[in-house]
Amino acid sequence: MMIPPFLKIDPATRHVSLDGSDLAFYGNPNAVYAALHAHCPTFYWEQQKQWFVTNYDQVNGLLRDRRFGRQILHIASRGELGLPEPEPHIAAFDLAERYSLLELEPPEHTRLRTLVNRAFVSRHVEKMKPELEELANKLIDGFADKREVELLSAFADIIPVTMIARMIGIPEDMGPQLLKWSHAYVRMYMFGRTRADEDAAEQAAREFSDYVKTVIAERRAEPRDDLLTHMIHTEHKGQYLTEDELVSTTIVLLNAGHEATVHQIGNSVRIILDSGYDPAELFGDETATERTVEESLRICAPVHIFQRWALEPAEIDGVEFRRGDKVSMILAAANLDPAKFSDPLTFKPERNEAPNLSFGAGIHFCIGAPLARLELNVVLPILFKRLPGLKIAKTPVVKDVYHFHGLDRLDLVW
């Protein structure tokens, strides 16, 4: 496997030098992952000052390994671990994240997830199918006669945020504002974030939290049949969610409930159009559709990295971790492990190999996976059926952020 010129690998030390902001990398990360699998599947990324794992079995195992967790301060102090004190200029962001499902460990994680989980199980989500079909068709009606569209702004951006807002009980006309807050939010998880990124995220967190608090107050006064009302009025073992827990949970559900799916709609359409497959075959029936969706999730996952803290001394692939060390798993690379997937860089919807890890695994397996899968399985067939002869009009523009992989623009004609 050829090593791209911008990637430096020292197999002896397992050190890798790679600029995460280089378009040659984030524009086509799969080529880098293939080289890493061939030469150095577990590596120390010099620029990130952290160990990374790409092997499928090790990533899958780490996601379930209780020696590693999403938080560390529940078992050790900042002083013990040598961690800096919180930055005052991102206090509102930190508060909004404090009770995020993505960041907590049991028992707090179990309590919050139990309260929310009922809304996201497959049988409940499946009831949203008619609404999804109606929304997808309505959006396509708006541009079908133009014979061209920028798909993200006209379609992909709108569907997931509309559906998660309806589910939680947020007015749909807040969609554009939710997108702005969310985009500012996620830049906090990118490599090389700047002070300007932090200031924007802090402002977004403050505005987002204040808005959610007003909706919480409305639901306390006038309960409705929505997820927010359910979270406010349902107890778990005698406890109700606090105001801060409600705000954190609502924000993470709104952000996670659309950000990755927006990317995946764009990624999937691009990979299908580049593949040479006939969309009529890919979406011929429900089974074919499901296989197509899962293969697109495998080969172009929207979320690439999950991080964990070592909660106790542990060894992974010969690397020793002390309590308080961090390790990152590259989900998108695990999906390309040649030990699990034949010809892993090729889109093959007929595969019957290992399940993809795009939604994670273990206790932090994506709670919104049933909703995301439903959205993809419903809207992609509609899009290709309504717009026969769909083609990419110009080279797609990849977002200049690595951690989340998606497009800024996808211009199509038919």
Side-chain angles (χ1 to χ4, degrees), residues 18-23 25-26 45 47-48 191 400-402:
L18 174 64
D19 180 1
S21 65
D22 187 339
L23 173 60
F25 167 49
Y26 72 75
W45 192 335
Q47 285 84 346
Q48 311 310 327
F191 294 155
D400 66 340
V401 289
Y402 162 59

Side-chain angles (χ1 to χ4, degrees), residues 208-221:
F208 208 163
S209 299
D210 287 346
Y211 173 72
V212 170
K213 286 174 185 174
T214 65
V215 184
I216 290 169
E218 290 171 6
R219 292 299 180 276
R220 287 193 194 280

Side-chain angles (χ1 to χ4, degrees), residues 49-65:
K49 298 180 172 57
Q50 200 175 115
W51 283 94
F52 285 72
V53 178
T54 64
N55 173 282
Y56 182 98
D57 286 337
Q58 284 165 354
V59 168
N60 193 25
L62 259 171
L63 288 166
R64 305 166 192 273
D65 193 331

Side-chain angles (χ1 to χ4, degrees), residues 128 132 135 139 152 155-167 179 253-265 371-372 375-376 379:
M128 302 173 77
L132 258 172
L135 178 59
L139 292 173
L152 301 186
F155 189 76
D157 274 347
I158 300 168
I159 288 172
V161 75
T162 301
M163 298 309 294
I164 194 67
R166 285 180 186 176
M167 202 171 180
L179 287 172
L253 290 175
L254 282 165
N255 285 348
H258 79 272
E259 192 81 33
T261 313
V262 169
H263 293 335
Q264 194 57 37
I265 292 172
L371 176 60
E375 289 171 340
L376 294 164
V379 307

